[in-house]
Amino acid sequence: MADHSPTSEKDLDAVADELYGVLPDEFIGARDAAVAEARERGDRELAKAIGRLRRPTKAAWLANLLARHRAAQLDGLLGLAAGLADAQRTLDGAALRQLSGKRHQLVAAMAREAGRLAQEAGDPAAESVLRELQGILDAALARPEIAEQVRSGRLTRTLSYTGFGPETDPDAVPAPPPRPAREEPAAEEPGPARDTRDTEADERARRERLRAERDRRAEALAAAEDEESQARSTQDDADAAREDAVDARDEARNRVAELTAELEAARERERTTAAAARDAETAAKSAARAVGVAASRTARARARLEEIEAEL
């Protein structure tokens, strides 16, 4: 029966915290050692749970370093998400440009800091990996669920986000950019006035284009999320099948080891009894020869006695 006690859950959390703090190249060895230790204690459920922990990519490991050692700075960066979402929903171009610039600066700074942490840990990160980390941080700013994964310090995958933030409000109107003060232009010859209805039609057309683009991106996002969900489901099934196969293999190996030990013991008994049988055969032959010699002596002694008795 599976053990879901609080103690087991605490043990898994402790093991996970330790594993996601080691270097990526050391993860598999450390995880296998933790699985073996749990099995030795007889906690098969904990061993299976530990075995399901996935090794982080190099970029995910860098994100975990930030969550562990630069949590305050990371929270400061992810705090921009609310402002970006508001600016995106209201189509406030000025605020969006300002926040986007700040985001790019902070993301780049956090990536550089992660590179320094990796250098101190003894596993320097290449520029390509730092760019992947920036993609993870951008995804965390766009998706709250990804932000929580990053904050956990147990991220395993290299994530990216190719969208443009939250969906916009279909009734939102772009906030006009601030206009710098300027002198009134010189009077010009009056020209034909633009019909207000044309301006309104242009605005409606522009908003229709925005809505259509939003719908297209929403459909693309939904399709991508469905594909990811199916891929994750397939991966979970494959992981479960792998765990069952590993357990069956380990049981078979243990049985082979037991049978091999029994066979070796039987062979040792065979060698011992064979030696004892040879010694007994030799002893029996020697005893038979002794009996023959004694019988000959008895016959000769009897003959001499009979010879004397005949003379008497």
Side-chain angles (χ1 to χ4, degrees), residues 45-215:
E45 289 301 317
L46 177 60
K48 287 183 179 180
I50 295 173
R52 294 190 187 101
L53 297 176
R54 299 174 59 194
R55 179 176 67 177
T57 63
K58 187 65 174 290
W61 176 70
L62 292 177
N64 293 339
L65 283 180
L66 292 175
R68 289 168 178 269
H69 303 290
R70 298 294 184 269
Q73 293 92 321
L74 183 61
D75 283 340
L77 170 64
L78 298 179
L80 292 176
L84 286 167
D86 289 340
Q88 184 71 17
R89 278 192 294 268
T90 60
L91 299 179
D92 188 343
L96 189 59
R97 285 191 296 273
Q98 182 181 6
L99 288 171
S100 295
K102 186 175 181 181
R103 178 195 67 184
H104 290 312
Q105 293 176 357
L106 290 177
V107 165
M110 291 298 289
R112 289 193 298 271
E113 182 61 21
R116 284 192 289 271
L117 291 173
Q119 182 75 33
E120 293 174 1
D123 193 357
E127 285 297 324
S128 59
V129 178
L130 295 180
R131 286 194 295 272
E132 291 177 4
L133 172 61
Q134 292 184 41
I136 291 175
L137 297 177
D138 282 333
L141 283 166
R143 303 281 293 275
E145 66 274 18
I146 296 178
E148 287 306 310
Q149 294 179 45
V150 172
R151 284 191 176 98
S152 72
R154 300 182 188 178
L155 188 66
T156 60
R157 299 179 298 133
T158 299
L159 304 168
S160 61
Y161 183 72
T162 56
F164 294 89
E167 293 185 358
T168 58
D169 184 346
D171 296 323
V173 177
R179 296 182 178 179
R182 60 175 183 171
E183 297 180 356
E184 290 295 327
E188 297 180 356
E189 291 293 329
R194 184 176 176 81
D195 194 333
T196 304
R197 288 174 296 180
D198 292 340
T199 304
E200 293 176 351
D202 290 344
E203 178 62 18
R204 284 196 299 271
R206 187 190 64 78
R207 291 174 63 181
E208 286 297 327
R209 288 195 299 272
L210 284 175
R211 292 192 185 97
E213 178 64 15
R214 179 204 60 192
D215 293 342

Side-chain angles (χ1 to χ4, degrees), residues 220-237:
L221 174 59
E225 289 177 338
D226 288 342
E227 183 179 355
E228 180 182 0
S229 177
Q230 293 174 2
R232 286 183 180 279
S233 177
T234 301
Q235 181 186 20
D236 291 341
D237 292 342

Side-chain angles (χ1 to χ4, degrees), residues 264-300:
E264 185 58 33
R267 285 175 174 170
E268 182 61 27
R269 288 195 297 272
E270 178 188 18
R271 288 192 290 268
T272 301
T273 55
R278 288 193 298 271
D279 292 343
E281 183 69 22
T282 300
K285 289 180 179 179
S286 179
R289 287 195 297 271
V291 167
V293 171
S296 297
R297 290 175 181 172
T298 300
R300 286 196 298 273

